[in-house]
Amino acid sequence: MRRVRVLIAKEWEELRKIKMVIYGALFLPLLMGGLAGFMVWQGQGLPPEAQAALFNTALMYFLILPVMIPVTLAVYSIVGEKEQGTLEPLLATPLTDWEIFAGKALVAVLPSLVLTWGVFLLFLIAAHVILGGIPAGVLSVPWLLSIFVLSPLLAVFGVLVSMLVSSRTSDPRAAYQFSGLAVVPSLIPLIAYSIQMTAVNLLLVILEGGILVVLNGALLYLVVKLFRREEILTRWK
Amino acid sequence: MIRTEALTRRFGDRLAVDGLTLEVREGEILGLLGPNGAGKTTTVRMLACLLAPTSGRAWVGGHEVGREASAIRSTVGILTESPGFYKRLSLERNLRYFADLYGVSSPRAAARRYLERLGLWDRRTDAVATLSKGLRQRLALARALVHEPKVLFLDEPTAGLDPESARDVRRFIGELTSERRTVLLCTHNLPEAEELCDRIAVLRTRLIALDRPAALKERMSGGRVLVELGNPRPEFATGLHLPFVQRASLEGNTLTVEGANPDRDNPTLVRRLVEMGAEIRSVTRDERTLEDVYLSLMGRDDAAG
Ligand SMILES: Nc1ncnc2c1ncn2[C@@H]1O[C@H](COP(=O)(O)OP(=O)(O)O)[C@@H](O)[C@H]1O
Ligand SMILES: [Mg+2]
């Protein structure tokens, strides 16, 4: 665990110095948070049901965030090692294969959750100030489950997809674009919502959670295999 | 300190290292000499537990490769073929990171010790991106040593360096001998192997020869003598008929006589040529370098394989 901490600390120090990462990891939360805030702003003076509908839409932003933030971080943290030729020296250290995998995954998942939840908190505060209170029924169980269960699952999904893609290419832009596809699952609620199937509800959240658990399980299996030394040295491109 | 037994590695159908058996003694610098694709890097990677052998066994510092990988990784320092760094981070940060991963008790002090030792202390806060290739290689040496490994693998440490940087690196490697570290030095550079190594293992997928540099030369003893003639005629090459001459050939004004030991045989050779009517302008000895030995070993391998 100590070595994983060491790895993560170095990664963050390094990632902080990359412009694309700063844009990806800070600009996006600000944008999404801003959009969500703007939506609530429009709800001023509307009846509570209409306000609740706006909140439902705003929630979608908080499902896109946890996928998109780790994509940037994971892509640069892995493609960066390749580009700089640091993989072999890293593999020569006593880090275990599992520690390398876990370190690289946490590097991206942790900030993503912290930022998502941080922006969410700011959003709630802003909504409270703008509307003079959060409409009843908004912070329902499905809502909270979305934020606190779906978000981490989505973040893990985004990271695993990025890790998979990054091991296959050394072009950060290509990796970034491919990994962007990871956002698809977080659009499911949005799609369901916009074709009027339903608003945020428990069934939908559980369904999506279930799909993500299965997808993550399958990805984890693949990615852990990819993150074995031998594989990294001989098969990664 | 390092021992291998029929160590073999395949990549698909391609045999990269075939049945390598050798031993590197404690405190010894052993050169692994061979052309590109000879399997040097693959050997080092197996010994550093980065690649699994296809068959065979090996021990490093008493630990068996494959079984005690993490113990081996902590004992071993490695300078990889193309040693990369986190170029946005400082020299000091890079070294501290690796020291930390190796579990060094005071990474900061260790980083400092090696930055000073390799003359990089003044540059410690600069980003690695600003380093020249030569300085980067020194930093790579520092990284290989920062956790005080008993065993060092140096994979082509001077490849691609300008002559001056290469000399610095070689001098530094030479200094390591006094520290009782065991070094496996991969190189395709003969003078380097000759200068630095206690013994040289000539590798070309298989182990072709293993001996002290001097013994390797001796084994292939017999020099070459170049005779510059004023009146080059083919019969000077074909009609020498001297017992010590293995081969003689004329090219332009120069008669090349192979197999002669210049100290002993030159007077006889010169007398014979004069008898034959040759006008000798100069006689130069062209002693066998380790390179000739090496090339002939490689040639023999071609014939055999
Ligand atoms: N990851 C790999 N995949 C397939 N073949 C490889 C791989 N690594 C090395 N080889 C092959 O193994 C042989 C030995 O390579 P290497 O150990 O790098 O030689 P050297 O370091 O002496 O130049 C070469 O033929 C090379 O092409
Ligand atoms: Mg090599």
Side-chain angles (χ1 to χ4, degrees):
Chain A
M1 235 20 236
R2 188 193 65 80
R3 289 192 294 248
V4 175
R5 273 206 317 276
V6 169
L7 186 144
I8 292 175
K10 189 283 295 174
E11 295 286 320
W12 285 344
E13 210 172 316
E14 202 190 359
L15 288 170
R16 275 212 314 269
K17 305 196 177 206
I18 305 176
K19 263 205 213 78
M20 274 298 288
V21 170
I22 300 300
Y23 288 148
L26 289 182
F27 176 70
L28 209 64
L30 290 179
L31 179 73
M32 296 283 178
L35 283 174
F38 179 66
M39 211 162 270
V40 170
W41 179 270
Q42 286 183 316
Q44 276 174 308
L46 291 182
E49 311 85 66
Q51 286 183 346
L54 284 175
F55 264 85
N56 268 331
T57 315
L59 174 63
M60 305 312 155
Y61 294 113
F62 294 100
L63 295 182
I64 293 173
L65 264 190
V67 190
M68 289 314 285
I69 300 171
V71 166
T72 333
L73 297 173
V75 162
Y76 276 87
S77 127
I78 293 165
V79 176
E81 298 266 7
K82 289 203 231 178
E83 257 182 341
Q84 303 179 95
T86 43
L87 273 174
E88 197 169 356
L90 182 71
L91 297 177
T93 67
L95 276 168
T96 64
D97 295 357
W98 174 254
E99 283 172 330
I100 294 173
F101 164 77
K104 289 284 176 185
L106 290 174
V107 158
V109 169
L110 296 180
S112 147
L113 291 179
V114 167
L115 282 167
T116 302
W117 289 335
V119 173
F120 180 64
L121 188 69
L122 286 179
F123 166 75
L124 286 186
I125 294 171
H128 195 90
V129 169
I130 293 168
L131 303 177
I134 307 290
V138 163
L139 291 180
S140 58
V141 170
W143 244 88
L144 294 174
L145 279 179
S146 298
I147 294 293
F148 292 103
V149 179
L150 281 190
S151 289
L153 284 173
L154 285 165
V156 169
F157 180 75
V159 168
L160 291 174
V161 169
S162 311
M163 288 173 110
L164 191 69
V165 172
S166 305
S167 72
R168 298 286 125 198
T169 171
S170 50
D171 175 2
R173 269 157 237 279
Y176 189 67
Q177 273 156 17
F178 263 107
S179 307
L181 293 176
V183 83
V184 168
S186 61
L187 296 179
I188 293 173
L190 186 62
I191 294 164
Y193 181 69
S194 60
I195 58 176
Q196 302 294 312
M197 267 166 56
T198 173
V200 178
N201 69 41
L202 196 56
L203 184 68
L204 191 67
V205 171
I206 290 177
L207 202 67
E208 196 183 354
I211 293 174
L212 281 171
V213 167
V214 172
L215 283 178
N216 282 348
L219 279 171
L220 187 68
Y221 176 78
L222 286 176
V223 176
V224 166
K225 266 171 105 176
L226 272 178
F227 270 70
R228 290 188 305 217
R229 277 179 165 74
E230 172 107 23
E231 194 72 24
I232 294 175
L233 269 182
T234 59
R235 299 270 161 73
W236 281 26
K237 295 193 191 75
Chain B
M1 208 50 172
I2 302 172
R3 196 154 66 81
T4 71
E5 251 178 44
L7 198 62
T8 301
R9 170 74 204 207
R10 289 178 174 280
F11 292 103
D13 294 338
R14 184 185 292 149
L15 208 47
V17 177
D18 183 14
L20 178 66
T21 299
L22 57 75
E23 190 169 351
V24 190
R25 303 173 197 126
E26 191 175 348
E28 180 180 42
I29 299 194
L30 184 103
L32 208 51
L33 181 67
N36 281 334
K40 304 180 295 291
T41 299
T42 303
T43 303
V44 162
R45 285 178 169 177
M46 285 191 281
L47 293 175
C49 297
L50 296 173
L51 284 182
T54 307
S55 64
R57 300 168 80 185
W59 294 260
V60 177
H63 307 288
E64 182 166 1
V65 165
R67 301 214 168 158
E68 300 159 279
S70 79
I72 292 182
R73 289 197 197 104
S74 325
T75 332
V76 156
I78 180 167
L79 176 75
T80 54
E81 204 164 13
S82 41
F85 287 95
Y86 303 102
K87 56 180 189 239
R88 294 177 187 84
L89 301 179
S90 71
L91 280 68
E92 199 267 348
R93 184 66 182 94
N94 268 280
L95 269 196
R96 194 148 48 80
Y97 175 55
F98 283 94
D100 222 350
L101 285 180
Y102 277 102
V104 169
S105 58
S106 170
R108 205 173 283 275
R112 171 170 191 154
R113 183 159 58 247
Y114 279 97
L115 283 170
E116 284 178 344
R117 202 171 149 191
L118 282 137
L120 295 167
W121 181 245
D122 292 342
R123 307 274 318 252
R124 67 189 175 279
T125 55
D126 294 356
V128 171
T130 65
L131 290 185
S132 67
K133 188 135 199 278
L135 292 186
R136 201 178 287 225
Q137 194 70 350
R138 283 204 233 161
L139 186 61
L141 280 168
R143 169 170 62 194
L145 285 159
V146 75
H147 57 294
E148 303 293 344
K150 281 190 288 194
V151 177
L152 260 183
F153 297 131
L154 306 176
D155 196 355
E156 313 248 3
T158 60
L161 297 188
D162 60 275
E164 201 175 326
S165 309
R167 198 193 49 215
D168 286 347
V169 166
R170 277 197 285 272
R171 187 182 304 146
F172 184 78
I173 295 170
E175 288 169 15
L176 292 174
T177 26
S178 57
E179 299 173 15
R180 298 294 300 159
R181 294 192 211 271
T182 308
V183 181
L184 187 65
L185 172 79
C186 298
T187 182
H188 61 249
N189 179 333
L190 290 146
E192 177 170 299
E194 194 173 2
E195 177 187 339
L196 294 172
C197 301
D198 300 309
R199 288 188 306 153
I200 295 177
V202 183
L203 182 73
R204 178 139 144 196
T205 310
R206 286 176 292 124
L207 181 65
I208 294 173
L210 171 61
D211 218 327
R212 287 175 298 110
L216 273 182
K217 274 207 269 192
E218 228 167 75
R219 185 190 305 188
M220 305 296 291
S221 72
R224 274 197 323 180
V225 175
L226 305 180
V227 185
E228 205 192 329
L229 300 168
N231 57 341
R233 291 207 299 263
E235 62 264 31
F236 295 149
T238 53
L240 272 176
H241 303 306
L242 291 169
F244 54 81
V245 173
Q246 287 169 2
R247 210 154 72 88
S249 58
L250 185 71
E251 203 173 301
N253 289 336
T254 309
L255 176 71
T256 305
V257 181
E258 284 179 41
N261 173 344
D263 288 333
R264 190 189 61 209
D265 302 327
N266 269 5
T268 320
L269 176 65
V270 169
R271 203 174 311 123
R272 173 82 183 121
L273 281 169
V274 170
E275 280 168 19
M276 290 167 77
E279 291 167 15
I280 295 174
R281 287 188 181 155
S282 75
V283 179
T284 345
R285 47 169 78 192
D286 181 19
E287 273 175 299
R288 277 187 92 84
T289 58
L290 196 55
E291 182 160 4
D292 301 317
V293 177
Y294 172 74
L295 289 175
S296 72
L297 282 170
M298 289 297 154
R300 202 166 68 194
D301 189 56
D302 273 343

